[in-house]
Amino acid sequence: MGGGSLIGRGLPRERAAVEAEAWMRRALDVAAQTPAGDIPVGAVVFGPDGRELGCGTNRREADADPAGHAEVAAIRAAARELGDAWRLEECTLVVTLEPCAMCAGLALGARVGRIIYGACEPKTGACGSVWDLPREAPLHKAEVLGGVLREDCVALLKDFFSTLRT
């Protein structure tokens, strides 16, 4: 992220950082609602006016659904709220964990304009860690900001995985 604004919205860098952190706090609250047994990930889609349009948690285990990712639920809810299945152009997807290829691809297909994530995913991350789909896509690109409240997002995951190992 360069310059003094975030995604061309004209916000001063400091205000944009405050907004991103507030939105990530909301995603962390959503992640806390993840069903037991699922990896705690929260995702929220915000409209261009900052209004929350949809949110979701991981539900792969709870629903026995390989597509049960938090981002999928949040994007579906936002599309229903707006009544447009693939034009979230001015919207921001905020997620506690870097999206995988499926979720980054869905965000691009929905024309999400910006992706903000907290913790990097070094094994499957598709917003810069393993792949960089949002910035390399030939048709639609999305602005990406990673590492927002990273320590809080990492702690949530570490707590979950530590309970599995005890």
Side-chain angles (χ1 to χ4, degrees), residues 18-141:
V18 168
E19 179 180 73
E21 287 182 7
W23 287 353
M24 187 60 71
R25 282 188 180 76
R26 172 63 181 137
L28 283 161
D29 289 343
V30 170
Q33 300 167 26
T34 302
D38 273 295
I39 298 171
V41 176
V44 185
V45 175
F46 292 94
D49 60 355
R51 180 173 64 100
E52 183 176 318
L53 300 174
C55 67
T57 66
N58 270 358
R59 298 190 53 87
R60 286 175 54 175
E61 300 298 328
D63 295 346
D65 179 2
H69 290 207
E71 299 95 325
V72 173
I75 290 170
R76 284 178 174 164
R80 281 191 303 272
E81 175 69 18
L82 290 179
D84 192 332
W86 58 277
R87 288 187 181 94
L88 304 178
E89 293 162 334
E90 298 291 321
C91 296
T92 301
L93 170 65
V94 180
V95 61
T96 56
L97 181 64
E98 180 181 359
C100 68
M102 176 183 70
C103 294
L106 175 61
L108 292 173
R111 306 296 193 263
V112 167
R114 171 170 49 167
I115 299 169
I116 297 174
Y117 69 87
C120 292
E121 175 40 275
K123 294 180 182 176
T124 63
C127 291
S129 291
V130 179
W131 303 283
D132 198 354
L133 298 180
R135 290 174 279 217
E136 295 174 5
L139 297 177
H140 176 73
K141 296 182 185 333

Side-chain angles (χ1 to χ4, degrees), residues 141-164:
K141 296 182 185 333
E143 188 93 21
V144 175
L145 175 62
V148 175
L149 297 182
R150 185 186 72 76
E151 292 81 14
D152 295 335
C153 295
V154 168
L156 182 67
L157 295 166
K158 280 186 176 180
D159 288 347
F160 172 79
F161 285 110
S162 71
T163 63
L164 296 180

